[in-house]
Amino acid sequence: QVQLVESGGGSVQDGGSLRLSCAASGYTYSSNCMGWFRQAPGKEREGVAAIHPGSGSSYYADSVKGRFTISQDNAKNTVYLQMNSLKPEDTSMYYCAARRRGCSRWWDYLDYVYWGQGTQVTVSS
């Protein structure tokens, strides 16, 4: 049974930082793309970043480039999202997701098969 368990959300001030974690189990972690998505109330789910654990290649939405960093710890089957210089518009529910192939069109949330329960990130001005 595949499980993705997120942690690390919370509330911060504008300009603050948070690190999200996603621990994967029951899943061929190193062969497939893993991504972070976010969804605010009334808005479509948005791709934030993705990584291919096998190659280490990473991908980012334009809105977070230079502020967010996705990384991995293959020994722990865990993917991280370091979020710096947070802005109020980053406020959202953040989800970890995994798919059964590589990271082509990584932003397409419909192509992800497994999802975590989500963790809330709130940035106040």
Side-chain angles (χ1 to χ4, degrees):
Q1 181 181 358
V2 176
Q3 277 194 311
L4 301 177
V5 179
E6 300 121 332
S7 60
S11 297
V12 296
Q13 296 280 339
D14 191 354
S17 297
L18 285 172
R19 189 176 82 153
L20 306 183
S21 299
C22 173
S25 60
Y27 171 68
T28 308
Y29 168 82
S30 63
S31 302
N32 303 289
C33 193
M34 294 191 70
W36 285 98
F37 290 79
R38 63 188 182 188
Q39 188 168 21
K43 294 190 175 181
E44 191 172 355
R45 191 161 294 194
E46 172 190 20
V48 176
I51 191 166
H52 190 289
S55 67
S57 297
S58 57
Y59 310 86
Y60 297 93
D62 288 343
S63 59
V64 306
K65 277 180 184 175
R67 300 189 297 123
F68 291 12
T69 302
I70 190 169
S71 62
Q72 65 201 44
D73 183 336
N74 289 349
K76 296 181 179 179
N77 278 14
T78 300
V79 172
Y80 304 97
L81 186 68
Q82 177 67 44
M83 305 185 295
N84 298 329
S85 302
L86 281 161
K87 305 174 182 180
E89 51 263 44
D90 294 317
T91 295
S92 193
M93 184 71 78
Y94 283 71
Y95 297 90
C96 173
R99 67 203 310 200
R100 293 192 184 127
R101 63 184 189 91
C103 289
S104 173
R105 294 181 56 83
W106 65 269
W107 60 87
D108 184 357
Y109 68 88
L110 295 175
D111 201 34
Y112 287 77
V113 179
Y114 308 108
W115 291 85
Q117 79 284 359
T119 185
Q120 178 67 37
V121 171
T122 303
V123 185
S124 56
S125 56

